[in-house]
């Protein structure tokens, strides 16, 4: 099968298309023909992990060490990136009962990666669920990472209807999902990102947006029940002014300092710091699928790239200006043979067009 592989850490240039062995499913596994995968934070980090110093890593030193050993100390252990995908079940192992050939599915491989390939095998009890009908394969392939992470983290703060939530980093993979999930739980949501992402975050359903390049939410005088800081860009010391007396400061990215603040605020009472790891559950993906079916969760694609242009896809995401998800189309059964390598330019969907359509549908 074809896969995008890398054998050394570095810039997007380390990615190239190669012929590798097609996996065969074990008795408890499902073989999936991948239609689409995505480029997200995890792919960029794993591709260039040698250059991610402990300082650049948004987690404590021990986590960095664990990740470095996991990904490979001097060169990548797993040559294929890609943590999320959507595709079609091609074959199932002898003991599989939940899926059958022909099922359209989407799934999450977390740090196991491997989805930048024509085929993947997944345990049937893994993070795998039927693809929601309203989404295309490309849209569904962009959902699992952000949705599963945001869902698991938001669970730690037990959101209730009417609560006010601020999401710092609302235009990214986790933030975009958190905006939609917080709305689903009945919260009033304020999304914070830079200027290019404002329309995108509004289109996801945020009640208010703040441009962090122009306004500091910690000085606005507004207070929130939950402040969810995805990249850990704000300190609890300053940010607590924007937190209600019993509010929670939820960090998806944190260092030792925030862990100590978590311990201290647990003992002291009042405002709390929560540093959480996602710990996704397989049932969560089916739940996200139900939200999509009910029209309560959407995917907005910024750009699509064919497998041959995976390096360009990484370069584009690395520039930091994406407004929505970036997809790598692995196989499109509706596309005539030979046009799987259509240029990214030709396949680029205008995200503003999508945003306008969604805004039109809302009003
Ligand atoms: N706790 C866990 O279990 C867990 C799991 C997975 C990942 N993570 C952590 O989550 C982070 C990645 O999140 P992601 O995938 O959502 O990243 P992402 O897709 O790269 O998005 C990052 C977002 O942060 C925004 N941002 C950048 N600088 C900012 C600032 N100064 N103030 C406010 N927002 C800012 C960006 O917005 P603009 O583009 O508008 O600047 C972008 O929307 C990593 O630090 C990773 O370690 C944690």
């Amino acid at each position: 099968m074809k896969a995008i592989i890398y054998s050394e850490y570095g810039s997007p240039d380390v990615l190239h298309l190669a012929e590798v062995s097609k996996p065969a499913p074990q008795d408890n596994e499902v073989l999936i023909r991948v239609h689409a995968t995505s480029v997200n934070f995890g792919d960029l980090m794993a591709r260039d992990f040698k250059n991610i110093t402990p300082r650049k890593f948004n987690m404590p030193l021990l986590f960095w060490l664990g990740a470095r050993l996991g990904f490979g100390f001097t060169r990548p252990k797993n040559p294929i990136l890609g943590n999320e995908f959507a595709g079609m079940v091609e074959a199932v192992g002898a003991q599989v009962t939940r899926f059958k050939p022909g099922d359209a599915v989407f799934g999450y491989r977390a740090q196991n990666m491997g989805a930048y390939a024509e085929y993947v095998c997944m345990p049937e009890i893994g993070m795998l669920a039927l693809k929601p009908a309203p989404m295309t394969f490309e849209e569904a392939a962009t959902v699992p990472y952000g949705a599963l992470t945001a869902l698991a983290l938001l669970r730690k703060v037990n959101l209730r209807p009417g609560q006010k939530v601020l999401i710092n980093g609302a235009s990214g993979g986790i933030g975009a999902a958190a905006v939609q999930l917080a709305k689903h739980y009945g919260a009033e949501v304020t999304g914070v990102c830079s200027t290019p992402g404002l329309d995108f975050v509004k289109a996801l359903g945020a009640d208010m947006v703040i441009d962090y390049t122009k306004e500091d939410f910690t000085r606005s005088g507004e207070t929130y029940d939950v402040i969810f800081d995805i990249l850990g860009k704000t300190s609890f010391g300053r940010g607590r002014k924007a937190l209600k007396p019993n509010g929670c400061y939820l960090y998806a990215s944190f260092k030792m300092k925030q862990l100590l603040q978590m311990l201290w605020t647990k003992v002291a009472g009042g405002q709390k710091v929560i540093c959480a790891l996602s710990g996704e559950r397989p049932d969560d993906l089916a739940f996200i699928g139900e939200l999509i079916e009910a029209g309560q969760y959407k995917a907005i694609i910024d750009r699509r790239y064919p497998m041959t242009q995976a390096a360009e896809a990484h370069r584009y995401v690395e520039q930091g200006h994406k407004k929505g998800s970036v997809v790598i189309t692995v196989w499109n059964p509706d596309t005539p043979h030979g046009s799987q390598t259509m240029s990214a330019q030709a396949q680029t969907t205008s995200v503003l067009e999508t945003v306008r359509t969604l805004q039109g549908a809302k009003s």
Side-chain angles (χ1 to χ4, degrees):
M1 67 169 184
K2 287 189 177 56
I4 299 153
I5 64 163
Y6 74 131
S7 53
E8 54 182 326
Y9 291 121
S11 75
D13 296 332
V14 298
L15 300 175
H16 56 274
L17 201 59
E19 204 64 44
V20 301
S21 315
K22 180 177 168 182
Q26 307 283 314
D27 282 355
N28 64 342
E29 284 184 338
V30 172
L31 174 71
I32 297 143
R33 168 131 208 188
V34 176
H35 287 215
T37 177
S38 82
V39 182
N40 60 39
F41 177 86
D43 301 305
L44 299 188
M45 197 183 61
R47 194 206 70 225
D48 196 21
F49 207 80
K50 200 172 175 184
N51 294 313
I52 310 280
T53 58
R55 201 184 158 83
K56 279 196 209 164
F57 195 63
N58 293 338
M59 290 286 187
L61 181 64
L62 263 182
F63 290 42
W64 174 86
L65 201 60
R68 185 88 195 239
L69 289 171
F71 287 132
F73 211 82
T74 52
R75 50 183 55 243
K77 275 187 195 164
N78 180 350
I80 307 176
L81 295 172
N83 55 35
E84 56 186 353
F85 65 88
M88 194 79 93
V89 173
E90 186 162 291
V92 298
Q95 290 161 12
V96 170
T97 56
R98 286 180 59 216
F99 300 97
K100 59 181 187 317
D103 282 345
V105 292
F106 67 146
Y108 184 50
R109 295 175 60 81
Q111 55 271 42
N112 294 327
M113 300 281 184
Y116 284 10
E118 287 182 317
Y119 292 90
V120 289
C121 283
M122 289 285 291
E124 73 160 333
I125 56 161
M127 243 83 73
L128 187 66
L130 291 176
K131 179 183 79 65
M135 278 197 182
T136 62
F137 286 99
E138 289 174 336
E139 288 167 334
T142 68
V143 170
Y145 157 70
L148 292 174
T149 309
L151 181 63
L153 295 177
L154 284 175
R155 209 179 262 135
K156 314 279 181 190
V157 293
N158 194 21
L159 271 189
R160 292 183 299 284
Q163 285 193 317
K164 285 174 69 178
V165 178
L166 178 136
I167 295 159
N168 196 34
S171 61
I174 301 174
V179 167
Q180 303 191 70
L181 290 169
K183 285 302 295 175
H184 166 73
Y185 289 124
E188 183 188 308
V189 179
T190 299
V192 182
C193 61
S194 64
T195 320
L198 296 175
D199 279 345
F200 166 58
V201 174
K202 270 189 227 158
L204 293 173
D207 299 287
M208 267 147 299
V209 287
I210 295 176
D211 183 343
Y212 69 78
T213 64
K214 298 196 173 125
E215 193 183 340
D216 177 352
F217 75 85
T218 65
R219 291 163 173 249
S220 69
E222 199 60 66
T223 55
Y224 302 90
D225 296 284
V226 174
I227 295 176
F228 185 9
D229 190 342
I230 314 284
L231 290 186
K233 289 282 183 188
T234 57
S235 74
F236 176 60
R238 270 172 56 121
R240 65 187 306 176
K241 281 184 283 183
L243 201 58
K244 290 191 177 176
N246 286 311
C248 286
Y249 219 98
L250 175 64
Y251 283 107
S253 308
F254 48 86
K255 295 280 193 180
M256 209 54 207
K257 181 175 169 189
Q258 285 79 28
L259 282 174
L260 292 173
Q261 285 169 334
M262 177 163 79
L263 286 178
W264 168 244
T265 56
K266 197 169 178 179
V267 176
Q271 294 174 329
K272 289 208 165 24
V273 169
I274 299 182
C275 304
L277 292 176
S278 54
E280 314 84 12
R281 306 175 191 161
D283 285 354
D284 287 350
L285 200 55
F287 169 71
I288 298 294
E290 284 164 23
L291 292 188
I292 295 168
E293 297 273 0
Q296 291 184 18
Y297 193 102
K298 57 195 160 220
I300 298 179
I301 295 178
D302 180 351
R303 288 189 178 191
R304 299 167 171 82
Y305 290 83
M307 275 180 109
T308 47
Q309 292 182 3
E312 262 120 277
H314 271 235
R315 243 172 248 125
Y316 176 65
V317 176
E318 229 161 40
Q319 284 164 13
H321 306 310
K322 75 179 170 73
K323 302 164 212 79
S325 300
V326 172
V327 169
I328 296 178
T329 307
V330 177
W331 189 64
N332 182 350
D334 300 328
T335 306
H337 183 69
S339 50
Q340 307 287 341
T341 53
M342 196 188 292
S343 79
Q345 207 59 40
Q347 294 195 39
T348 296
T349 303
S350 158
V351 74
L352 284 177
E353 216 170 86
T354 317
V355 166
R356 276 189 214 111
T357 311
L358 289 165
Q359 282 172 339
K362 264 177 82 181
S363 56

Coordinates of all heavy atoms in Angstrom, one line a residue, residues 40-42 45 57-59 108 145 149 153 168-175 192-197 212 229-231 233 251-254 276-279 320-322, ligand 1:
N40 N -2.8 17.6 12.2 CA -3.1 18.4 13.5 C -1.9 18.5 14.3 O -0.8 18.1 13.9 CB -4.3 17.8 14.2 CG -4.0 16.3 14.6 OD1 -2.9 16.0 15.0 ND2 -5.1 15.5 14.6
F41 N -2.1 19.2 15.5 CA -0.9 19.5 16.4 C 0.0 18.3 16.6 O 1.2 18.4 16.6 CB -1.5 20.0 17.7 CG -0.5 20.3 18.7 CD1 0.1 21.5 18.8 CD2 -0.1 19.3 19.7 CE1 1.1 21.8 19.7 CE2 0.8 19.6 20.6 CZ 1.5 20.8 20.6
G42 N -0.6 17.1 16.8 CA 0.1 15.9 17.2 C 1.1 15.5 16.0 O 2.2 15.1 16.2
M45 N 4.1 17.9 15.9 CA 5.0 17.7 17.0 C 5.8 16.4 16.8 O 7.0 16.4 16.9 CB 4.2 17.6 18.3 CG 5.1 17.8 19.5 SD 4.1 17.6 21.0 CE 3.5 16.0 20.8
F57 N 8.0 22.2 24.8 CA 6.9 21.2 25.1 C 6.0 21.8 26.1 O 6.5 22.2 27.2 CB 7.6 19.9 25.5 CG 6.7 18.7 25.5 CD1 6.2 18.3 24.3 CD2 6.4 18.0 26.6 CE1 5.4 17.1 24.2 CE2 5.6 16.9 26.6 CZ 5.1 16.5 25.4
N58 N 4.7 21.8 25.8 CA 3.7 22.5 26.8 C 3.3 21.6 27.9 O 2.2 21.7 28.4 CB 2.5 22.8 26.0 CG 2.7 23.9 25.0 OD1 3.7 24.6 25.1 ND2 1.9 24.0 24.0
M59 N 4.2 20.7 28.4 CA 3.9 19.8 29.5 C 5.1 19.6 30.4 O 6.2 20.0 29.9 CB 3.5 18.4 28.9 CG 2.2 18.4 28.2 SD 0.8 18.5 29.3 CE -0.6 18.2 28.3
Y108 N -9.8 7.1 15.9 CA -8.7 7.9 16.5 C -7.6 6.9 16.9 O -7.9 5.9 17.6 CB -9.2 8.7 17.7 CG -8.2 9.6 18.3 CD1 -7.4 10.4 17.6 CD2 -8.0 9.6 19.7 CE1 -6.5 11.3 18.2 CE2 -7.1 10.4 20.3 CZ -6.4 11.3 19.6 OH -5.5 12.1 20.2
Y145 N -9.7 13.7 17.0 CA -8.7 14.2 17.9 C -9.3 15.3 18.8 O -9.2 15.3 20.0 CB -7.5 14.7 17.2 CG -6.6 15.7 17.9 CD1 -5.9 15.3 19.0 CD2 -6.6 17.0 17.5 CE1 -5.1 16.3 19.7 CE2 -5.8 18.0 18.1 CZ -5.1 17.6 19.3 OH -4.3 18.5 19.9
T149 N -10.6 14.8 22.7 CA -9.8 15.5 23.8 C -10.6 16.5 24.5 O -10.6 16.5 25.7 CB -8.6 16.1 23.1 OG1 -7.9 15.2 22.3 CG2 -7.6 16.7 24.1
L153 N -11.7 16.4 28.5 CA -11.2 17.5 29.4 C -12.4 18.3 30.0 O -12.4 18.6 31.2 CB -10.2 18.5 28.7 CG -8.9 17.8 28.2 CD1 -8.1 18.8 27.4 CD2 -8.1 17.3 29.4
N168 N -9.7 29.7 25.5 CA -8.5 30.4 25.0 C -7.8 29.5 24.1 O -7.2 28.5 24.5 CB -7.6 30.8 26.2 CG -6.6 31.8 25.8 OD1 -6.9 32.7 25.0 ND2 -5.4 31.8 26.4
G169 N -7.8 29.8 22.8 CA -7.3 28.9 21.7 C -8.5 28.3 21.0 O -8.4 27.1 20.6
A170 N -9.5 29.0 20.8 CA -10.8 28.5 20.3 C -10.8 28.1 18.8 O -11.7 27.4 18.4 CB -11.9 29.5 20.6
S171 N -9.8 28.5 18.1 CA -9.8 28.2 16.7 C -8.9 27.0 16.4 O -8.8 26.6 15.2 CB -9.2 29.4 15.9 OG -7.9 29.7 16.3
G172 N -8.3 26.4 17.4 CA -7.5 25.2 17.1 C -8.3 23.9 17.2 O -9.5 23.9 17.3
G173 N -7.5 22.8 17.1 CA -8.2 21.5 17.0 C -9.1 21.2 18.3 O -10.2 20.8 18.2
I174 N -8.5 21.4 19.4 CA -9.2 21.1 20.7 C -10.2 22.2 21.0 O -11.4 22.0 21.3 CB -8.3 21.0 21.9 CG1 -7.3 19.8 21.6 CG2 -9.0 20.8 23.2 CD1 -6.2 19.7 22.7
G175 N -9.8 23.5 20.7 CA -10.6 24.6 21.0 C -11.9 24.7 20.2 O -13.0 24.9 20.7
V192 N -11.6 32.7 22.3 CA -10.5 33.7 22.2 C -9.5 33.1 21.1 O -9.1 31.9 21.2 CB -9.7 33.8 23.5 CG1 -8.6 34.8 23.3 CG2 -10.7 34.3 24.6
C193 N -9.1 33.9 20.1 CA -8.1 33.5 19.1 C -7.6 34.8 18.5 O -8.0 35.9 18.9 CB -8.7 32.5 18.1 SG -10.1 33.2 17.2
S194 N -6.8 34.6 17.5 CA -6.3 35.9 16.8 C -7.3 36.2 15.6 O -8.2 35.5 15.3 CB -4.9 35.6 16.3 OG -4.9 34.6 15.3
T195 N -7.0 37.4 15.0 CA -8.0 37.9 14.0 C -8.5 37.0 12.9 O -9.7 36.9 12.7 CB -7.4 39.2 13.4 OG1 -6.6 39.9 14.4 CG2 -8.4 40.1 12.7
P196 N -7.6 36.2 12.3 CA -8.0 35.4 11.2 C -9.1 34.3 11.6 O -9.9 33.9 10.8 CB -6.8 34.7 10.6 CG -5.6 35.5 11.2 CD -6.1 36.1 12.5
G197 N -9.0 33.9 12.8 CA -9.9 32.8 13.2 C -11.3 33.2 13.8 O -12.1 32.4 14.1
Y212 N -7.2 38.0 20.8 CA -6.2 38.2 21.8 C -5.1 39.1 21.4 O -4.3 39.6 22.2 CB -5.6 36.8 22.3 CG -4.7 36.1 21.3 CD1 -3.4 36.4 21.0 CD2 -5.2 35.0 20.6 CE1 -2.6 35.7 20.1 CE2 -4.5 34.3 19.7 CZ -3.2 34.7 19.5 OH -2.4 34.0 18.6
D229 N -7.9 27.0 29.1 CA -6.8 27.5 28.3 C -6.1 26.3 27.7 O -5.5 25.4 28.3 CB -5.8 28.2 29.3 CG -4.7 28.9 28.6 OD1 -4.5 28.6 27.4 OD2 -4.1 29.8 29.2
I230 N -6.2 26.2 26.3 CA -5.7 25.0 25.6 C -4.2 25.0 25.6 O -3.6 23.9 25.8 CB -6.3 25.0 24.1 CG1 -7.8 25.4 24.1 CG2 -5.9 23.7 23.5 CD1 -8.7 24.3 24.5
L231 N -3.6 26.1 25.2 CA -2.1 26.1 25.1 C -1.4 26.5 26.4 O -0.2 26.5 26.5 CB -1.6 27.0 24.0 CG -1.9 26.6 22.6 CD1 -1.3 27.6 21.6 CD2 -1.5 25.2 22.2
K233 N -1.5 29.5 27.7 CA -0.9 30.8 27.4 C -1.1 31.8 28.5 O -0.5 32.8 28.6 CB -1.4 31.3 26.1 CG -1.0 30.6 24.9 CD 0.4 31.0 24.5 CE 0.9 30.3 23.3 NZ 2.3 30.5 23.0
Y251 N -6.6 23.7 32.4 CA -5.5 23.7 31.5 C -5.4 22.4 30.7 O -5.3 21.3 31.4 CB -4.2 23.9 32.3 CG -3.9 25.3 32.8 CD1 -4.0 25.6 34.2 CD2 -3.5 26.3 31.9 CE1 -3.7 26.9 34.6 CE2 -3.2 27.6 32.4 CZ -3.4 27.9 33.7 OH -3.1 29.1 34.2
A252 N -5.3 22.5 29.4 CA -5.0 21.3 28.6 C -3.5 21.2 28.5 O -2.9 20.1 28.2 CB -5.6 21.4 27.2
S253 N -2.7 22.3 28.6 CA -1.3 22.3 28.6 C -0.8 23.0 29.8 O -1.3 24.0 30.2 CB -0.8 23.1 27.4 OG -1.4 22.7 26.2
F254 N 0.2 22.3 30.5 CA 0.6 22.8 31.8 C 2.0 22.4 32.2 O 2.5 21.5 31.6 CB -0.4 22.3 32.9 CG -0.7 20.9 32.8 CD1 0.1 19.9 33.4 CD2 -1.8 20.4 32.1 CE1 -0.1 18.6 33.3 CE2 -2.0 19.0 31.9 CZ -1.2 18.1 32.6
A276 N -5.5 18.6 33.3 CA -6.1 17.3 33.0 C -5.5 16.7 31.7 O -5.1 17.4 30.8 CB -7.6 17.5 32.8
L277 N -5.4 15.4 31.8 CA -5.0 14.6 30.6 C -6.3 14.0 30.0 O -7.2 13.6 30.8 CB -4.0 13.5 31.0 CG -2.7 14.0 31.4 CD1 -1.8 12.9 31.9 CD2 -2.0 14.8 30.3
S278 N -6.3 13.8 28.7 CA -7.6 13.5 28.1 C -8.2 12.2 28.5 O -9.4 12.1 28.8 CB -7.5 13.7 26.6 OG -6.5 13.0 26.1
G279 N -7.5 11.1 28.3 CA -8.1 9.8 28.7 C -9.4 9.5 28.0 O -10.5 9.3 28.7
G320 N 0.5 28.5 10.8 CA -0.4 29.0 11.9 C -1.6 29.9 11.5 O -2.1 30.5 12.3
H321 N -1.9 29.9 10.2 CA -3.1 30.7 9.7 C -4.3 29.9 9.3 O -5.2 30.5 8.7 CB -2.6 31.6 8.6 CG -1.4 32.4 8.8 ND1 -1.3 33.2 10.0 CD2 -0.3 32.6 8.1 CE1 -0.1 33.8 10.0 NE2 0.6 33.4 8.9
K322 N -4.3 28.6 9.6 CA -5.4 27.8 9.1 C -6.7 28.3 9.9 O -6.7 28.7 11.0 CB -5.2 26.3 9.3 CG -5.3 25.8 10.7 CD -5.0 24.3 10.7 CE -4.8 23.8 12.1 NZ -6.1 23.6 12.8
Ligands
LIG1 N1 -4.2 17.5 28.2 C1 -4.3 16.7 27.2 O1 -4.6 15.5 27.4 C2 -3.9 17.1 25.8 C3 -4.1 16.3 24.7 C4 -3.8 16.7 23.4 C5 -3.1 18.0 23.3 N2 -2.9 18.7 24.4 C6 -2.2 20.0 24.3 O2 -3.0 20.8 23.5 C7 -2.2 21.7 22.8 C8 -2.6 21.6 21.3 O3 -3.9 22.0 21.2 P1 -4.6 22.1 19.7 O4 -4.4 20.8 19.1 O5 -5.9 22.7 19.8 O6 -3.5 23.1 19.0 P2 -3.7 23.9 17.6 O7 -4.7 23.3 16.7 O8 -2.4 24.2 17.2 O9 -4.4 25.3 18.1 C9 -3.8 26.2 19.0 C10 -4.7 27.3 19.2 O10 -4.2 28.2 20.2 C11 -4.3 29.6 19.7 N3 -3.3 30.4 20.2 C12 -2.0 30.6 19.9 N4 -1.4 31.5 20.6 C13 -2.4 32.0 21.5 C14 -2.4 32.9 22.5 N5 -1.3 33.6 22.8 N6 -3.6 33.2 23.2 C15 -4.7 32.5 22.8 N7 -4.7 31.5 21.9 C16 -3.6 31.3 21.2 C17 -4.3 29.5 18.2 O11 -5.1 30.5 17.7 P3 -4.5 31.5 16.5 O12 -4.2 30.6 15.4 O13 -5.7 32.4 16.3 O14 -3.3 32.2 17.1 C18 -4.9 28.1 17.9 O15 -6.3 28.3 17.8 C19 -0.8 21.3 23.0 O16 -0.1 22.2 23.9 C20 -0.9 19.9 23.6 O17 0.2 19.6 24.5 C21 -3.2 18.3 25.7

